Amino acid sequence: MSPLHSYFIFFFLLMAILFQSSTTSSQSNLCRSSCGNIPINYPFSIDDGCGSPYYRHMLICSDNNTKLELRTPSGKYPVKSISYSDPHLLVSDPFMWNCQDRDNFRPTRSFSIDSSTHFTVSPQNDYLFFNCNTEKVIVEPKPLFCERFPDRCDSSCDSSSYLCRHLPECGSAVGSRVSCCSYYPKATQSLRLMLQNCATYTSVYWRSTGVENAPYDQFPEYGIRVDFEFPVTMKCLLCQEMTKGGGVCGFNTRTRDFLCLCKQGNVTTYCKDPSLVKHKRVGAIAGTVTAVSAAGAIGVAGGVYWYLRKVRAKAPVTCGVQSNENRIF
């Protein structure tokens, strides 16, 4: 390989390294704050590297940023709302029974949450099961059954449930051929066993009215309430503080370590940290040096290329034998 070719290979490798080291990016402008009309705040995110790593890839925003879904081991479920003051999500399951189905029972699936995550199915949910096999499931009015068999009280499906007698949004349109009972499965396996012996099921969540001095402070609504933990850290609070730069809490996608995402770049503390001022100046100088080095490299490359062309044109032909007269280096 000729010295000219070797030099240009080295030159292009050097330029690639300089270009890579001189590029930095910030993720703060890549963290979407909503999906449809649902706000996306910490600890959640719909963009990788934003929010808490605890909930990485758990929420999906699709259909041109209009449809928010929760990913679980049993499938993807549309998210109806998120509450950050009372930490929970309200999701719906299109496979669950609804009033429009009446006695047309469609195949369903059991809702489940990965126990290793920071999500839990709320105990505020009421599950209603329809047309259960009474030879396999204890379908009895719970107060009377518990009085007679107190040791088996939790195993019965309550046929006298208020919700069974007042199905939300249904009125009396369900029909007499539909039997209903209420049961709260304490584990995913219990829910699966119930569905093996019942035609279908649905979930009802008691939602707060938010109205003071109202006759009722809650009303039933179809959906599944999923509670979540709020992993608040001092680093995140400092990062979000407006007086300290108003950054976005995120993490390193490779190491999962905390990052404060700022407009001018990503830092490990907060955007206006005084200790970063000196670092930023050094970074600016380093960037200038990098730019100057790149420009210098281009200039040197041009000069060497011209020089080699000139030498090669004047050098005597020696059939590949190098002598003191035709030596380049």
Side-chain angles (χ1 to χ4, degrees):
M1 182 180 293
S2 68
L4 179 63
H5 291 162
S6 300
Y7 176 81
F8 275 105
I9 292 174
F10 171 75
F11 167 73
F12 284 116
L13 288 174
L14 175 64
M15 289 302 298
I17 294 171
L18 289 174
F19 178 77
Q20 183 177 9
S21 64
S22 63
T23 56
T24 57
S25 62
S26 169
Q27 291 178 303
S28 62
N29 60 337
L30 302 178
C31 299
R32 287 172 286 175
S33 59
S34 65
C35 181
N37 61 350
I38 301 178
I40 305 298
N41 301 327
Y42 185 85
F44 297 125
S45 73
I46 49 180
D47 300 295
D48 199 16
C50 307
S52 169
Y54 290 159
Y55 300 103
R56 187 180 189 182
H57 304 315
M58 300 295 289
L59 292 181
I60 310 163
C61 187
S62 57
D63 292 356
N64 295 321
N65 203 45
T66 60
K67 183 180 181 181
L68 185 65
E69 293 178 299
L70 172 67
R71 180 189 282 124
T72 79
S74 55
K76 294 188 293 187
Y77 299 87
V79 178
K80 300 169 68 174
S81 63
I82 301 178
S83 172
Y84 296 94
S85 56
D86 177 19
H88 73 271
L89 293 79
L90 187 61
V91 303
S92 61
D93 184 355
F95 288 88
M96 283 185 173
W97 181 90
N98 59 62
C99 295
Q100 287 70 35
D101 291 336
R102 302 197 180 192
D103 57 358
N104 179 28
F105 300 126
R106 298 174 288 112
T108 187
R109 60 184 177 182
S110 59
F111 178 82
S112 65
I113 286 288
D114 187 351
S115 59
S116 66
T117 68
H118 293 258
F119 285 117
T120 54
V121 179
S122 173
Q124 296 185 36
N125 297 312
D126 278 327
Y127 293 97
L128 305 179
F129 295 86
F130 300 93
N131 286 27
C132 297
N133 183 347
T134 54
E135 294 182 359
K136 301 290 183 66
V137 179
I138 302 174
V139 181
E140 294 283 349
K142 199 157 192 174
L144 295 177
F145 181 82
C146 292
E147 184 177 345
R148 291 164 51 199
F149 307 100
D151 56 329
R152 301 174 61 190
C153 181
D154 291 340
S155 62
S156 65
C157 192
D158 186 11
S159 60
S160 64
S161 165
Y162 170 85
L163 290 173
C164 282
R165 291 180 285 111
H166 302 87
L167 287 169
E169 305 171 12
C170 292
S172 58
V174 176
S176 57
R177 292 190 299 175
V178 178
S179 64
C180 170
C181 64
S182 174
Y183 175 74
Y184 184 82
K186 295 183 179 180
T188 301
Q189 185 61 26
S190 300
L191 178 57
R192 291 173 182 165
L193 289 173
M194 286 293 291
L195 287 178
Q196 290 177 8
N197 299 290
C198 301
T200 188
Y201 85 121
T202 193
S203 174
V204 176
Y205 157 61
W206 289 92
R207 191 181 188 90
S208 174
T209 60
V211 179
E212 296 182 2
N213 301 321
Y216 302 99
D217 60 351
Q218 292 180 326
F219 64 95
E221 179 179 342
Y222 290 106
I224 307 170
R225 171 173 168 146
V226 179
D227 296 334
F228 64 88
E229 296 178 18
F230 219 113
V232 177
T233 64
M234 184 57 66
K235 286 185 176 181
C236 182
L237 292 175
L238 289 173
C239 173
Q240 292 177 323
E241 178 63 42
M242 295 305 297
T243 60
K244 296 185 180 298
V248 176
C249 297
F251 59 93
N252 185 308
T253 55
R254 184 175 57 86
T255 64
R256 297 170 64 95
D257 292 334
F258 173 82
L259 282 178
C260 184
L261 313 182
C262 311
K263 292 181 180 179
Q264 68 272 26
N266 303 336
V267 297
T268 57
T269 52
Y270 52 91
C271 300
K272 291 185 178 181
D273 187 350
S275 64
L276 297 175
V277 175
K278 183 178 179 180
H279 174 73
K280 290 175 183 176
R281 291 182 62 187
V282 172
I285 294 172
T288 305
V289 171
T290 301
V292 172
S293 300
I298 295 172
V300 170
V304 171
Y305 177 71
W306 174 84
Y307 173 75
L308 291 174
R309 287 285 301 272
K310 183 178 179 180
V311 170
R312 286 172 64 89
K314 293 182 178 181
V317 178
T318 57
C319 299
V321 179
Q322 192 177 41
S323 66
N324 290 331
E325 294 177 352
N326 68 359
R327 188 183 302 274
I328 297 175
F329 301 107

